[in-house]
Amino acid sequence: MTEAAIKRGRVQMLVIMGIALVSLGGAYLLFGLVRESGVWNTTNHGTFVEPATTAADLAVVEATGRPMEGGVWWLWAVPGGACEADCRHAVHQLRQLHILLNRDAARVRRGFLTGTGEGLPADLAKAYPRLAPLSGNVAALRPGVYVVDPIGNLVFHYPWSDAGEPVLDDLKRLLKVSQIG
C-alpha cells in the first residue's frame, strides 16, 4: 500500500468518525434543549397522586360495608367536609363526562367518598342515583376529583374547577391504553 492510499484511508476514517460524533453530539444537545424547554412534560391534565395510594390503604368500602368493587375505573368526588357549590358542580360534571364516554361508560363508575359514617347527602343521592356512596379514611386526601384504576390505585387528582374536560381527556386516554378494566 502506498503512502497516499494510507493517508486517504485515514482521512476517510476521520470523516466517518466525525460524522458519527457530530450526529451523536447534535442529538444529545437537541435532547437537552428540548427537555429543558418543557416539551417533554406529561400530557395529562391531572396531578399524579403521590405517594402512591390505594383504595385498600384508605379502607374504602361501599355503603353495604363490603370493599369497593374492583375491575372498573372509578371517578371519586372527595369533598373533605360539606359538599359546597363547587363540589356539587363537579359531581354534575362527572355525570356529564360519564355520559360522554359513550361505549366505554360501562368501564367506569362514579363514587362519592366521605369519611366513615358520613354518607352521601340526600339531595345528591336523589339527583344522581348511580353515584355510589363510599366511605373510608379521607383525611389523607385533598378535596377534589380522583381517577382510580381497576386495581384500586389512585392515579390522578383534579381540583374541583377541573372536573370536566380535563378529567374526560385523561380518562379517555387511560381507557384507550388500559389492558385492565
Side-chain angles (χ1 to χ4, degrees):
M1 232 193 221
T2 65
E3 189 69 35
I6 292 174
K7 192 172 189 177
R8 188 176 38 237
R10 286 183 181 158
V11 168
Q12 287 177 345
M13 182 181 74
L14 289 174
V15 167
I16 291 171
M17 288 178 65
I19 290 172
L21 287 175
V22 167
S23 297
L24 285 173
Y28 184 75
L29 179 66
L30 184 63
F31 175 75
L33 290 174
V34 171
R35 188 168 151 207
E36 294 301 319
S37 69
V39 176
W40 286 76
N41 289 338
T42 60
T43 58
N44 55 294
H45 300 286
T47 57
F48 287 106
V49 176
E50 290 184 321
T53 308
T54 66
D57 295 341
L58 301 171
V60 176
V61 294
E62 293 192 32
T64 58
R66 66 179 188 181
M68 185 185 78
E69 174 188 347
V72 295
W73 290 84
W74 281 88
L75 294 172
W76 287 354
V78 181
C83 189
E84 303 297 334
D86 52 354
C87 168
R88 292 176 186 282
H89 179 70
V91 169
H92 180 72
Q93 289 290 98
L94 291 181
R95 181 181 69 176
Q96 299 301 85
L97 74 86
H98 195 226
I99 292 168
L100 289 173
L101 286 173
N102 228 355
R103 63 186 169 125
D104 287 327
R107 297 174 64 189
V108 179
R109 286 194 62 195
R110 292 173 289 126
F112 191 85
L113 181 62
T114 59
T116 306
E118 292 178 30
L120 184 62
D123 61 327
L124 286 180
K126 184 178 179 187
Y128 307 104
R130 297 185 128 188
L131 184 64
L134 303 170
S135 63
N137 179 14
V138 295
L141 300 177
R142 294 176 295 178
V145 174
Y146 287 84
V147 174
V148 182
D149 72 8
I151 301 172
N153 300 312
L154 279 70
V155 182
F156 291 127
H157 170 262
Y158 304 86
W160 294 124
S161 59
D162 290 348
E165 193 171 341
V167 177
L168 180 63
D169 290 344
D170 288 348
L171 191 58
K172 279 185 175 182
R173 191 174 300 115
L174 286 170
L175 291 170
K176 182 178 180 182
V177 299
S178 173
Q179 298 289 325
I180 54 176

